Amino acid sequence: MKVLVTGAAGLIGNYLARKLIWRGDDVVGIDNFDSYYGRNCKEFNLDLVNLAANRTTQFFPQKTVEPIYKKLASYYKGISPISDRGSFRFYELDVRDEDGINELFEKEKFDKVVHLAAMAGVPFSTKFPTKYTQVNVDGTTNVLTASKNIGVKKFIFASTASVYGSQKLETVKETDSVMRANSNYGATKVAGEVLSYAFYNLYDLKTVTVRIFGPIYGPLQRPKGMFMQRIINYIHNNKTLQIYGREGLETAKDTTYIDDEVDGIVLALDADLDKYEVFNIGTSNPHPIKEWIRAAEQAYGKKVKVEIIEADKADTTSSADITKAKEMLGYEPKIDIYEGAKRQVEVFRLMPEWYQTLPDV
């Protein structure tokens, strides 16, 4: 099976690409290396995918990437022998480039598409709403249209818990209203969901929406705006951690470990579904910020200094009802926050100094 992964250089994208390759699927990845955070982090992610496909590294010396790759692979079971793994090709391409997207689809003839590429980050979307609309709405339309034109068998749209807005830790179901998205980012993802359904309805493009409950954490977590990564970075660099949650240290998030999130996406990709479906992929087990800090401190063996700041009005605090994903997909999150933080710290400590000392996290 040949799968397109958009946003392949990001956290979820590179984990998904590796998992698919390790089981024998051929993967094509695209990414535009948006400047929201450093290109070097994304290039490192792609080199991990290159190693999964038994290719040489493209961006970093192989001796720099291999220890990280081996550590990440040690967390998995059942990786196929090298001879049975899938291939990997990468194109630097922006989903807003309609002609480029169409040319890629005509050339590669994908069986399935996982559309992860997006402008992410709730606070950043407040400052640059137009860019979020261009990437998350127009870009999604381009990928949907190209998928329809070549007859893609399955289209997975990666949405977000932000579509629900802030439900004060209510457990939200897929049938709950998404008309209360309280951020520009969330609003653009609602639009992407509506477009995905429209393409299913109008063109019989088999589409599935997965609502990602994050922030997604784990080794190589996105190094900007992600709380667990910030805790670890600040512990390492002796910096004071500022808390912006609605309820200070008691603010709770239904955060999902990266491998659990990717498992949910793969299950949706493989599922034999006869109509459009939406799935919450989370944990139903939100942890207060103070427990995130405790897990990181325990894993690192060192305390972090904390300062409480004003609340973030766009903050999302809903918790996922994952009953539907469990029943229809067999989804079951496995990694708790203490094991996840331990793995994230283990990999952080293996990373080069430039990564450990990133100033803008």
Side-chain angles (χ1 to χ4, degrees), residues 96-316:
R96 292 172 292 183
D97 181 355
E98 183 178 3
D99 291 340
I101 291 294
N102 288 333
E103 290 172 8
L104 176 70
F105 274 71
E106 285 297 328
K107 176 182 178 181
E108 294 286 355
K109 303 293 184 186
F110 304 110
D111 297 304
K112 297 183 180 182
V113 172
V114 182
H115 181 43
L116 298 168
M119 282 301 299
V122 168
F124 202 66
S125 73
T126 304
K127 299 177 181 178
F128 303 101
T130 302
K131 185 172 185 179
Y132 277 69
T133 302
Q134 291 170 344
V135 176
N136 297 357
V137 182
D138 296 344
T140 296
T141 303
N142 290 339
V143 181
L144 279 164
T145 301
S147 298
K148 178 262 294 184
N149 287 344
I150 70 159
V152 162
K153 297 173 185 175
K154 173 79 74 67
F155 184 95
I156 305 292
F157 176 67
S159 187
T160 170
S162 294
V163 300
Y164 293 113
S166 182
Q167 305 296 327
K168 296 181 180 179
L169 284 181
E170 293 176 8
T171 300
V172 290
K173 298 181 179 180
E174 291 87 349
T175 52
D176 288 346
S177 173
V178 296
M179 299 309 294
R180 291 179 287 178
N182 59 346
S183 68
N184 295 326
Y185 169 63
T188 61
K189 284 297 191 175
V190 171
E193 290 193 17
V194 175
L195 283 164
S196 297
Y197 177 78
F199 272 72
Y200 159 76
N201 182 57
L202 293 171
Y203 311 114
D204 199 30
L205 176 64
K206 292 187 181 298
T207 58
V208 177
T209 288
V210 291
R211 291 178 180 157
I212 294 170
F213 277 72
I216 306 305
Y217 74 104
L220 302 177
Q221 184 180 29
R222 192 180 81 214
K224 183 177 175 66
M226 296 285 99
F227 191 61
M228 185 66 82
Q229 183 74 2
R230 185 177 297 151
I231 301 170
I232 296 168
N233 177 287
Y234 280 28
I235 291 174
H236 181 82
N237 294 293
N238 298 307
K239 298 168 70 174
T240 299
L241 182 68
Q242 295 180 326
I243 307 298
Y244 291 89
R246 285 176 175 269
E247 299 173 14
L249 291 173
E250 298 300 325
T251 303
K253 298 278 190 179
D254 188 350
T255 187
T256 313
Y257 184 71
I258 178 61
D259 289 326
D260 288 332
E261 192 66 44
V262 167
D263 283 350
I265 293 170
V266 171
L267 287 167
L269 185 70
D270 292 344
D272 184 14
L273 304 169
D274 57 7
K275 61 185 181 69
Y276 175 78
E277 298 287 359
V278 179
F279 296 100
N280 289 337
I281 306 296
T283 66
S284 291
N285 185 25
H287 295 281
I289 283 175
K290 64 183 181 182
E291 190 168 5
W292 292 32
I293 295 172
R294 188 182 306 123
E297 290 175 336
Q298 180 175 304
Y300 201 98
K302 183 180 175 182
K303 298 284 188 180
V304 66
K305 294 174 286 186
V306 174
E307 179 184 5
I308 309 296
I309 309 297
E310 74 277 3
D312 178 1
K313 293 181 180 179
D315 195 22
T316 302

Side-chain angles (χ1 to χ4, degrees), residues 334-352:
K334 301 177 180 67
I335 305 298
D336 68 34
I337 196 167
Y338 289 91
E339 175 62 23
K342 173 178 167 290
R343 294 181 182 185
Q344 190 163 341
V345 167
E346 287 175 345
V347 172
F348 180 89
R349 283 180 154 150
L350 291 173
M351 288 294 288

